[in-house]
Amino acid sequence: MNINIKYFLMAWFCLLQGNILFGQTTFKNPIISGMNPDPTICRVGNDYYLVTSTFEYFPGLPIYHSKDLVNWKLIGHVLSRPSNCPLIGAYAGTGGNYAPTIRYDKGTFYVTCTNYGGQGSQGAFYVTATNPAGPWSEPHWVDNWGVDPSLLFANDSIYYVYPDDKNNFLLATVNTNTGKFHKTPKIIAKGTGAASQEGPHLYKIGAYYYLMSAEGGTGMEHMEVIQRSSSPWGPYQVSPTNPVITHKNDASNPFQAIGHADLVQLPDDSWWLVCLGYRLRGGNYHHLGRETFLAPVTWDANGWPKGGTNGIVKEEISVPNLTPFPWPKDSVRDSFSSSALNLNWNFIRNPHDADWSLTEKAGFLSLKGSKISFKEKDSPAFVGRRQAAFNMVASTKLGFEPTANNEEAGLVVRGDDINHYDLLVTQLAGKRVVMLKKYLQDKVNSLSYLEIPNGDIILRVSATDLEYKFWAQTEGKSAILLGTAATKDLSTELIGGFTGTYIGMYASGNGSTNKNPAYFDWFDYEENPSVPYAWSLGSKETMNDMLSPEIISATSSSFNQAKLVWKKVGNADYYIVQRYSANKFDSIGTTLVGDTTFTETGLTGSTLYTYRIIAKNTIGYSQPSLTTSVWTLHSPGPFFDTPSAISGKIEAENYDYGDMKDSWNDTEKDNKGEKYRTDGVDISSCWDTGGGYALGWIENGEWLVYTVDVNDTLVNLEIRVLTWWNSGAHVKFELDGSLVAETDIAHTSGVWKTYTLNNVKLSKGKNKKLKVIFDKGGFDFNWMNFVKVTQTGIHNVTLEDGISVYPNPTSHTVNIKSANFKYNHIEIHSIEGIRVYSKATTYTPENMLHISLPKGQYILSLSNQDDKKVVKLAFE
């Protein structure tokens, strides 16, 4: 061989292998970007395999292959058939398949997981394969509903560990031929003290069994902890150096929610972990989902592990002691020339075979829009892939001729079923248009559109970490920017759930089948382009040398008005404002000379209005601007348009619709918690029992109004509150301007507690105004509950949770019995509210009280910091 050619090939090979000659010394996190949460890993010889959660997406549980722990290649999916991946009916963002574990034993790979919420799902299961790329077996359904299961092969046994909902970890051994437990699962350990124990993994390392798990919930408090025992059945000792990893005390770190980890040992006996985390942008928002990170593990002299650098996962880390093995990069363009879809593509839930094809038209992906849209918990004609970088461009060439207003096809950036950005070709008033529709919180938030000729069109979405831009280009024309959208509006912080953004191709008839298929010629996806895409707008079509106006914003500050602001057109004298109604645009007003704002009044609350602007001078008119839309605020009145009933429970966040100083008063104009509602009241997610939302950042003098129908005039008012410090808070309740109750709120030490205001008298009537006044703030407010009081003053409430109180009536002995007793305090009150008995108790299945009381009616209450139950009790 020619020596020059030989050296050239050697150099090329080294370059391909990651500059081995020059020495790759570091790598950057995350190692697998985009939505890849709950990573689990196993090693087989010199190969490493990793699986992550997919929730409602199909096929489920991607499996990645690596030889160096840094570079990963998608080689298949564990759940690739509807029969082993039932998803129809699964809730977006929370249902489906999550928290898997992959393990290997004696030539067989095992993946155990939980399928939740899909039709036919049965909870926990495991599947097997001899080749990790598949095929994988049908599910072996394990006979329990424990989430986040994990396996350990040791001592010629298969150990199965999972958490329950009571802070416990349970262990059993499994017969893999039947999927059944050899014996009833046994509690072996508890969590180490934080909330939301999940994702346990059990390891046998040396003389110990290590139980590692996640705590704190998948948010800023997330962390990984560990404990150990000399027996898999316990007892377990908690590590004195916990947590293994966490960023909960490092709020400025760009990586957050670090946790849910799995360990792997390398041939050189070093240890590493993979874990999930997310990257915040634009404040405390993440929209790419939870991603997979890698960090080294060190063990102290006492045998306790610590991940990363003192528990912190760094962005840049020294590579493992393995030969670098990079994989070839994926092609930017998918030309749909294969008989099967690329592994990067996913469907929403289980696809319907009739909705898509790679063979109907050679070299095209055809999507036949069915009656299914994103609104159903079903599978619309959608083929998408993870958005795996903040800076990226996705585009497609589409051929689609809609025949009715309901038919649409194009590109979609999807957060979940009720939050997505749609760049679609559709029909409007008999015209073919390309439309940008922002669908947020289950309604159209805004839309803009442009009439287009028949023929193919290129649709493109470009993204930065803060903003999406949406473009359309027809043959022979410059690309046109239809609009922009904020990435944070698809973030987990604003839409909830556990998934990240997907970008894909979509078609739907929204209730009926499209008459024509949508043909996608190709799809390009490029991350971090070296030369950012900057579409030249070219010269827009003009009339009389006037450019079309460009609308800057459309906003609504009240239920009955909308305000438009646009850029000035150089030689315009004034502007004509048009609003879309009855399939056409009608002029609703003109501006004064030079004015570039317009406010329309007399509108209807909670209604979408669509506008466009035309510039005018003495010669003629410009072409209309792109359309823009705005929702008016809801009309003043009761939340959900129905008064709350008393007796009954009222969530604090469901105060009346209306403006500040009308339905609410807050010291600041913005919602600090940025959840649930868009006015100035501070609302955040609530970690109290039952979840939901709560009011926070309550300050002196703030208040809220609730429209109520008072059906019961004598009630006990329960309020659920939390204080972080001893603030001396005070709250008052007024009904139609009259004070009916008030109370001080003592320090609750950062836990939720229920205060009860007994025998509150109310005036009966419909559409009455209940005003809650926070005289002294400094607390959080979850809900208020009005409990009817009988004429004798006794709660008319029966006990739940299978609790028995007997005998009743009694003379001197009261037995309280339950197999699941969760209360730690017992009290008895007279009907006048005087406490006559109080006792702290343990969580024992039976309590016997020896007490003598005068004949009469009493109230027995059982309580803990989260709950309270009461029952009538008679002494005779």
Side-chain angles (χ1 to χ4, degrees):
M1 177 183 289
N2 183 291
I3 191 167
N4 291 329
I5 296 176
K6 179 179 179 181
Y7 283 127
F8 170 81
L9 292 176
M10 290 176 60
W12 175 84
F13 181 78
C14 291
L15 179 63
L16 179 66
Q17 292 300 307
N19 295 319
I20 295 175
L21 288 180
F22 298 103
Q24 180 182 353
T25 59
T26 62
F27 69 92
K28 287 189 175 182
N29 272 311
I31 55 169
I32 306 179
S33 57
M35 190 197 86
N36 279 284
D38 311 327
T40 176
I41 190 171
C42 76
R43 172 190 156 207
V44 182
N46 293 321
D47 295 283
Y48 301 85
Y49 300 98
L50 185 148
V51 177
T52 61
S53 297
T54 44
F55 295 88
E56 74 266 27
Y57 288 101
F58 178 89
L61 307 187
I63 183 160
Y64 298 92
H65 177 210
S66 177
K67 287 183 172 294
D68 60 10
L69 285 186
V70 172
N71 299 286
W72 294 87
K73 178 183 178 181
L74 178 61
I75 62 171
H77 290 84
V78 175
L79 307 176
S80 58
R81 305 179 301 279
S83 59
N84 69 4
C85 188
L87 292 171
I88 298 298
Y91 283 95
T94 57
N97 298 293
Y98 53 86
T101 297
I102 184 171
R103 294 294 183 258
Y104 175 82
D105 184 65
K106 299 175 182 176
T108 299
F109 291 88
Y110 296 77
V111 169
T112 183
C113 188
T114 301
N115 178 288
Y116 182 75
Q119 294 175 8
S121 65
Q122 301 178 46
F125 67 93
Y126 67 89
V127 290
T128 62
T130 55
N131 182 345
W136 289 76
S137 71
E138 291 300 298
H140 302 271
W141 297 102
V142 180
D143 54 357
N144 85 310
W145 260 91
V147 298
D148 295 19
S150 186
L151 297 172
L152 169 66
F153 292 83
N155 309 325
D156 294 323
S157 297
I158 304 175
Y159 297 98
Y160 180 94
V161 61
Y162 65 96
D164 65 10
D165 59 356
K166 299 179 178 62
N167 192 35
N168 300 314
F169 292 108
L170 288 83
L171 184 68
T173 53
V174 178
N175 183 335
T176 56
N177 293 321
T178 64
K180 305 298 182 183
F181 295 137
H182 286 301
K183 60 181 179 180
T184 303
K186 174 187 174 183
I187 295 175
I188 60 168
K190 289 186 175 292
T192 67
S196 302
Q197 290 74 30
E198 60 188 11
H201 292 304
L202 188 63
Y203 312 91
K204 185 178 183 182
I205 303 174
Y208 291 106
Y209 293 85
Y210 286 85
L211 177 62
M212 192 170 74
S213 60
E215 293 184 355
T218 306
M220 302 286 277
E221 299 295 311
H222 205 204
M223 59 181 172
E224 192 75 8
V225 296
I226 201 164
Q227 46 193 313
R228 73 185 181 193
S229 171
S230 58
S231 165
W233 304 100
Y236 280 82
Q237 174 193 3
V238 175
S239 170
T241 64
N242 272 334
V244 177
I245 51 168
T246 186
H247 287 189
K248 70 174 186 175
N249 299 317
D250 189 8
S252 63
N253 197 302
F255 303 153
Q256 290 296 328
I258 293 292
H260 202 115
D262 199 5
L263 295 172
V264 65
Q265 188 179 23
L266 275 56
D268 65 355
D269 291 331
S270 66
W271 286 83
W272 290 73
L273 62 78
V274 291
C275 64
L276 67 78
Y278 53 65
R279 293 180 284 171
L280 297 173
R281 288 297 187 272
N284 292 327
Y285 301 101
H286 76 281
H287 62 283
L288 297 190
R290 298 169 299 163
E291 304 171 295
T292 294
F293 294 74
L294 176 69
V297 176
T298 56
W299 299 79
D300 67 17
N302 296 314
W304 292 111
K306 184 69 84 170
T309 303
N310 295 322
I312 300 296
V313 178
K314 298 292 187 177
E315 180 179 12
E316 190 163 357
I317 299 174
S318 296
V319 297
N321 183 24
L322 297 168
T323 302
F325 197 93
W327 304 95
K329 284 188 176 182
D330 291 336
S331 173
V332 169
R333 174 161 294 186
D334 189 337
S335 298
F336 304 119
S337 57
S338 174
S339 60
L341 280 173
N342 185 295
L343 291 174
N344 287 320
W345 294 111
N346 290 114
F347 300 91
I348 300 171
R349 306 182 183 92
N350 301 126
H352 301 284
D353 291 341
D355 291 350
W356 71 283
S357 175
L358 287 170
T359 58
E360 178 178 314
K361 185 177 182 180
F364 289 79
L365 169 66
S366 63
L367 294 183
K368 299 178 180 179
S370 69
K371 66 180 181 179
I372 300 169
S373 67
F374 290 120
K375 295 181 180 180
E376 295 82 28
K377 290 195 290 292
D378 204 328
S379 185
F382 173 89
V383 178
R385 57 165 298 152
R386 293 165 179 81
Q387 180 185 345
F390 294 112
N391 296 285
M392 67 90 216
V393 177
S395 54
T396 189
K397 184 178 181 183
L398 168 65
F400 176 60
E401 302 296 334
T403 61
N405 289 5
N406 62 293
E407 298 182 356
E408 58 189 23
L411 285 179
V412 172
V413 182
R414 180 181 189 266
D416 60 19
D417 287 343
I418 62 174
N419 296 277
H420 42 87
Y421 298 140
D422 310 335
L423 182 60
L424 304 171
V425 173
T426 185
Q427 188 180 100
L428 188 62
K431 304 292 185 179
R432 184 174 184 251
V433 300
V434 58
M435 177 182 292
L436 172 60
K437 182 168 53 178
K438 302 176 187 178
Y439 195 83
L440 298 172
Q441 302 302 326
D442 206 17
K443 69 178 183 180
V444 177
N445 182 269
S446 71
L447 61 84
S448 59
Y449 65 88
L450 179 72
E451 186 177 335
I452 56 173
N454 291 336
D456 291 349
I457 185 172
I458 293 176
L459 304 177
R460 179 171 298 230
V461 180
S462 60
T464 65
D465 54 352
L466 300 180
E467 183 182 63
Y468 294 107
K469 290 184 177 180
F470 299 87
W471 308 82
Q473 184 175 20
T474 56
E475 185 176 359
K477 300 288 185 180
S478 298
I480 293 178
L481 177 67
L482 268 77
T484 64
T487 59
K488 76 173 185 178
D489 287 339
L490 297 184
S491 68
T492 297
E493 287 73 20
L494 294 186
I495 72 174
F498 302 110
T499 56
T501 49
Y502 263 65
I503 298 178
M505 297 155 287
Y506 167 75
S508 176
N510 294 290
S512 60
T513 303
N514 284 353
K515 293 184 179 179
N516 296 315
Y519 293 111
F520 296 87
D521 190 355
W522 45 259
F523 184 96
D524 286 355
Y525 176 84
E526 185 172 6
E527 297 180 355
N528 304 312
S530 56
V531 179
Y533 282 85
W535 285 77
S536 172
L537 298 182
S539 59
K540 296 183 179 179
E541 296 180 8
T542 63
M543 183 176 293
N544 304 313
D545 297 323
M546 279 195 298
L547 295 175
S548 299
E550 181 180 344
I551 297 176
I552 298 174
S553 64
T555 56
S556 175
S557 59
S558 177
F559 73 96
N560 62 356
Q561 68 179 31
K563 181 180 180 181
L564 302 173
V565 179
W566 58 92
K567 290 183 179 180
K568 184 177 181 179
V569 174
N571 54 348
D573 292 335
Y574 61 92
Y575 303 87
I576 299 170
V577 181
Q578 296 183 327
R579 175 158 52 81
Y580 188 77
S581 178
N583 293 326
K584 62 185 179 68
F585 278 97
D586 292 325
S587 296
I588 59 172
T590 59
T591 67
L592 299 175
V593 175
D595 196 356
T596 57
T597 65
F598 183 87
T599 299
E600 185 181 17
T601 59
L603 302 177
T604 302
S606 194
T607 302
L608 183 70
Y609 290 92
T610 300
Y611 298 91
R612 70 184 187 184
I613 311 295
I614 297 174
K616 176 72 170 67
N617 64 16
T618 56
I619 301 175
Y621 304 88
S622 74
Q623 291 291 327
S625 69
L626 290 175
T627 60
T628 192
S629 303
V630 59
W631 277 92
T632 51
L633 300 183
H634 204 290
S635 302
F639 199 66
F640 298 134
D641 300 317
T642 304
S644 299
I646 296 179
S647 300
K649 186 177 183 180
I650 302 174
E651 296 290 343
E653 66 272 15
N654 291 342
Y655 52 88
D656 282 2
Y657 295 114
D659 296 332
M660 184 172 176
K661 303 295 185 181
D662 176 18
S663 298
W664 54 273
N665 182 49
D666 198 279
T667 57
E668 296 180 345
K669 65 178 181 179
D670 297 322
N671 177 355
K672 289 183 180 178
E674 298 183 327
K675 293 294 178 70
Y676 194 60
R677 300 178 69 165
T678 57
D679 53 38
V681 179
D682 302 318
I683 303 173
S684 62
S685 297
C686 182
W687 52 268
D688 190 12
T689 301
Y693 302 96
L695 305 185
W697 299 276
I698 295 174
E699 298 187 31
N700 298 350
E702 296 180 345
W703 49 261
L704 300 164
V705 173
Y706 304 80
T707 300
V708 297
D709 287 345
V710 179
N711 303 308
D712 300 308
T713 58
L714 184 62
V715 296
N716 287 334
L717 171 55
E718 300 173 343
I719 59 173
R720 189 71 167 171
V721 294
L722 173 151
T723 66
W724 295 102
W725 59 86
N726 193 358
S727 59
H730 188 267
V731 60
K732 297 193 302 187
F733 299 85
E734 294 181 355
L735 188 66
D736 285 347
S738 298
L739 181 66
V740 294
E742 63 180 314
T743 186
D744 293 322
I745 298 174
H747 185 28
T748 70
S749 302
V751 298
W752 287 100
K753 289 190 176 181
T754 301
Y755 276 75
T756 302
L757 288 68
N758 291 315
N759 299 319
V760 175
K761 296 180 180 180
L762 307 173
S763 57
K764 193 170 185 176
K766 303 290 186 182
N767 293 308
K768 302 178 80 65
K769 297 295 184 181
L770 174 69
K771 187 174 185 180
V772 182
I773 304 168
F774 309 114
D775 281 343
K776 295 181 180 179
F779 64 100
D780 294 353
F781 183 26
N782 190 356
W783 49 255
M784 48 189 163
N785 188 29
F786 296 83
V787 182
K788 180 181 179 180
V789 178
T790 65
Q791 293 303 309
T792 58
I794 299 176
H795 285 273
N796 186 18
V797 180
T798 58
L799 284 178
E800 301 172 353
D801 298 330
I803 300 173
S804 300
V805 179
Y806 62 95
N808 190 8
T810 186
S811 56
H812 64 278
T813 300
V814 179
N815 295 284
I816 304 170
K817 185 176 182 179
S818 172
N820 182 27
F821 192 78
K822 62 182 181 181
Y823 302 95
N824 56 21
H825 199 76
I826 303 172
E827 288 188 350
I828 299 177
H829 289 78
S830 69
I831 59 174
E832 294 79 17
I834 300 172
R835 185 172 61 188
V836 296
Y837 182 84
S838 178
K839 177 184 179 181
T841 186
T842 58
Y843 302 105
T844 54
E846 186 164 2
N847 288 269
M848 179 179 293
L849 311 181
H850 298 283
I851 183 172
S852 295
L853 292 172
K855 292 182 180 180
Q857 299 288 328
Y858 294 84
I859 302 170
L860 182 147
S861 67
L862 308 173
S863 63
N864 57 32
Q865 66 179 21
D866 297 317
D867 197 14
K868 182 178 182 180
K869 294 288 184 291
V870 295
V871 67
K872 292 183 292 185
L873 182 64
F875 276 74
E876 59 183 24

